């Protein structure tokens, strides 16, 4: 009995240690795991046009090449259009920034004519502005560190793109692995759940395209009204940044604001207000409604998962929040809700809860 107890205790300790090590590894590699999951989601959404070409008797390898070539051409076109303008505006802003700061301080200090001491503290001269800017050696050091970060990010992006391409080009081994993970009696349900999830992911991509197009139109019209140079370019940038939650706002808003700042502060203020207002309206009201309509998911569910995933995993969590909502819905419906017969009185029950109806009233 003592020997048997010793074996059981050793086994329990080994399993506990293995579990702790596994949890630690998952925690340390959480960002990589989330990136892989996003790659799978992206591959599922890209699989739609690839399979459409495959049904037209085009081999899958060539179909994958065509779809990715179109995607790369679109992104390269945006970079070619936007890159030089951003570089030009940043250079112009850096040259004019000291003058902007001095003008702003003069404007603010003029509001306090009756308080000379306060005016003196608010007013900024050329010498003070020069002290704010870093020295040349520090600037070069920061540029060097930034270059290393860019290089690391570039390598990660290349690996990520390769993963997505391999998944799209050769999905059968991965799908086979997915199916065999389930017991034989559950494989039909697993197939149905995955199919539902895939349909919702494609609908999610469609909703992003709708949101991107809406954003592009609004941005182009507004910037044309404000006479901001390159309005169509910034509209195209707004279209693509719809696929990048939250962070996409800074990518699409900062360049036009810089351009507006080179015109005057009043114009820049209105451009900033427009981007802040439109982003809040689109992100918190319009897009959840659009996604709920095309994906058949309630907006509250999407917003809740977005907040939860954002709090837990930051940017990558927000990026995966809507696909995760679709995953939960698809597998819950197939593996849990399908066990129950359809409730014929469901609408009556909802009316009773909503309007406080009952049998006696």
């Amino acid at each position: 009995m003592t020997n048997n107890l010793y074996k059981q205790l050793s086994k329990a300790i080994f399993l506990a240690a293995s579990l702790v090590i596994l949890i630690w590894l998952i925690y340390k590699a959480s960002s990589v795991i989330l990136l892989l999951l996003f790659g799978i989601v992206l591959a599922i959404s890209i699989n739609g046009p690839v399979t459409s070409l495959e049904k037209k008797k085009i081999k899958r390898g060539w179909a994958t090449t065509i779809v990715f070539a179109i995607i790369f051409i679109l992104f390269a076109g945006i970079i070619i259009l936007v890159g030089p303008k951003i570089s030009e505006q940043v250079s112009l802003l850096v040259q004019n920034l000291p003058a902007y700061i001095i003008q702003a301080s003069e404007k603010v200090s003029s509001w306090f004519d009756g308080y000379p001491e306060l005016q003196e503290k608010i007013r900024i001269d050329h010498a003070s502005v020069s002290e704010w800017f870093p020295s040349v050696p520090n600037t070069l050091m920061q540029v060097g560190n930034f270059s290393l970060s860019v290089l690391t990010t570039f390598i990660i992006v290349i690996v990520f793109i390769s993963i997505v391409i391999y998944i799209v080009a050769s999905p059968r081994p991965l799908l086979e692995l997915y199916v065999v993970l389930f017991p034989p009696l559950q494989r039909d349900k697993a197939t149905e759940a995955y199919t539902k999830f895939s349909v919702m992911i494609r609908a999610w991509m469609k909703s992003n395209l709708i949101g991107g197009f809406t954003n592009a139109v609004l941005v182009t019209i507004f910037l044309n009204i404000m006479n901001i140079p390159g309005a169509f370019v910034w509209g195209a940038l707004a279209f693509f940044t719809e696929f990048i939650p939250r962070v996409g706002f800074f990518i699409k808003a900062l360049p036009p604001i810089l351009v507006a700042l080179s015109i005057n502060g009043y114009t820049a203020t209105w451009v900033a207000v427009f981007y802040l207002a439109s982003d809040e309206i689109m992100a918190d009201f319009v897009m959840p409604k659009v996604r709920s309509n095309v994906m058949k998911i309630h907006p509250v569910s999407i917003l809740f998962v977005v907040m939860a995933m954002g709090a837990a995993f930051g940017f990558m969590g927000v990026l995966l929040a809507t696909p995760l909502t679709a995953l939960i819905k698809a597998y819950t419906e197939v593996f849990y809700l399908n066990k129950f017969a359809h409730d014929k009185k469901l609408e009556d029950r909802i009316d009773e809860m909503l309007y406080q109806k009952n049998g006696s009233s």
Side-chain angles (χ1 to χ4, degrees):
M1 289 179 62
T2 304
N3 189 36
N4 192 28
L5 180 62
Y6 174 76
K7 287 182 178 179
Q8 290 180 0
L9 185 60
S10 300
K11 185 178 180 180
I13 293 173
F14 175 76
L15 290 174
S18 301
L19 183 61
V20 169
I21 292 171
L22 179 62
I23 293 172
W24 180 80
L25 287 173
I26 292 173
Y27 171 75
K28 287 294 184 180
S30 59
S31 58
V32 178
I33 293 171
L34 290 173
L35 194 63
L36 175 62
L37 293 176
F38 181 68
I40 293 171
V41 169
L42 199 59
I44 291 172
S45 61
I46 295 173
N47 184 61
V50 172
T51 51
S52 298
L53 292 174
E54 198 175 11
K55 289 176 182 177
K56 296 178 180 178
K57 306 302 181 183
I58 299 175
K59 290 184 177 181
R60 189 169 187 88
W62 283 110
T64 303
T65 303
I66 292 169
V67 171
F68 275 96
I70 293 171
I71 294 172
F72 289 148
I73 289 170
L74 289 174
F75 273 100
I78 291 297
I79 292 172
I80 291 169
L81 286 172
V82 174
K85 287 186 174 293
I86 293 177
S87 176
E88 177 186 343
Q89 295 303 324
V90 168
S91 299
L92 186 62
L93 179 64
V94 170
Q95 292 174 7
N96 297 332
L97 188 57
Y100 290 151
I101 294 172
I102 293 169
Q103 288 174 9
S105 71
E106 291 291 340
K107 182 68 176 178
V108 174
S109 65
S110 66
W111 299 343
F112 302 93
D113 289 333
Y115 305 91
E117 294 182 0
L118 184 59
Q119 272 189 323
E120 191 64 29
K121 292 181 179 179
I122 295 174
R123 191 174 288 113
I124 300 171
D125 55 18
H126 287 279
S128 300
V129 173
S130 300
E131 293 176 0
W132 293 355
F133 289 90
S135 62
V136 173
N138 290 336
T139 303
L140 292 175
M141 181 67 70
Q142 292 173 4
V143 170
N145 293 334
F146 179 73
S147 299
L148 289 175
S149 300
V150 169
L151 180 62
T152 304
T153 304
F154 178 75
I155 294 172
I156 292 173
V157 168
I158 293 297
V159 173
F160 174 76
I161 292 172
S162 301
I163 289 173
V164 176
I165 291 174
Y166 279 122
I167 293 173
V168 176
S170 182
R172 287 187 175 275
L174 296 174
L175 292 175
E176 181 182 346
L177 176 62
Y178 163 78
V179 172
V180 298
L181 287 174
F182 291 86
L185 294 177
Q186 298 290 331
R187 289 177 183 174
D188 287 341
K189 288 185 177 181
T191 303
E192 182 185 352
Y194 177 84
T195 303
K196 281 191 172 185
F197 174 62
S198 299
V199 170
M200 283 192 282
I201 288 300
R202 292 172 191 174
W204 169 67
M205 186 59 68
K206 178 182 177 182
S207 69
N208 286 333
L209 291 172
I210 294 171
F213 179 76
T214 305
N215 251 326
V217 171
L218 291 175
V219 166
T220 303
I221 292 173
F222 178 80
L223 295 184
N224 269 315
I225 292 173
M226 298 297 294
N227 293 319
I228 303 297
F232 289 98
V233 173
W234 309 130
L237 183 63
F239 173 82
F240 283 97
T241 53
E242 181 60 35
F243 297 88
I244 311 173
R246 298 306 177 187
V247 177
F249 165 76
F250 298 100
I251 298 174
K252 73 180 179 182
L254 287 178
I257 292 173
L258 293 177
V259 175
L261 192 59
S262 67
I263 299 172
N264 57 64
Y266 178 80
T267 303
T269 301
W270 276 110
V271 172
V273 168
F274 164 76
Y275 272 102
L276 287 169
S278 64
D279 184 71
E280 285 302 315
I281 293 171
M282 290 293 294
D284 295 331
F285 297 99
V286 177
M287 288 310 298
K289 182 63 177 176
V290 171
R291 291 188 179 111
S292 70
N293 287 339
V294 298
M295 299 175 70
K296 310 302 180 187
I297 302 176
H298 198 280
V300 172
S301 302
I302 296 175
L303 290 173
F304 171 76
V305 178
V306 167
M307 289 190 297
M309 290 292 289
F313 301 107
F315 169 68
M316 284 303 302
V318 174
L319 206 59
L320 285 168
T322 305
L324 178 62
T325 311
L327 182 73
I328 294 170
K329 183 176 187 293
Y331 283 79
T332 301
E333 287 180 351
V334 173
F335 283 93
Y336 178 71
L337 295 181
N338 284 354
K339 294 180 180 179
F340 304 101
H342 177 66
D343 188 354
K344 296 180 180 179
K345 295 184 178 181
L346 181 61
E347 292 298 325
D348 295 333
R349 299 182 201 280
I350 294 172
D351 286 341
E352 182 178 342
M353 291 186 290
L354 188 60
Y355 303 109
Q356 292 78 48
K357 293 181 179 181
N358 54 56
S360 59
S361 60

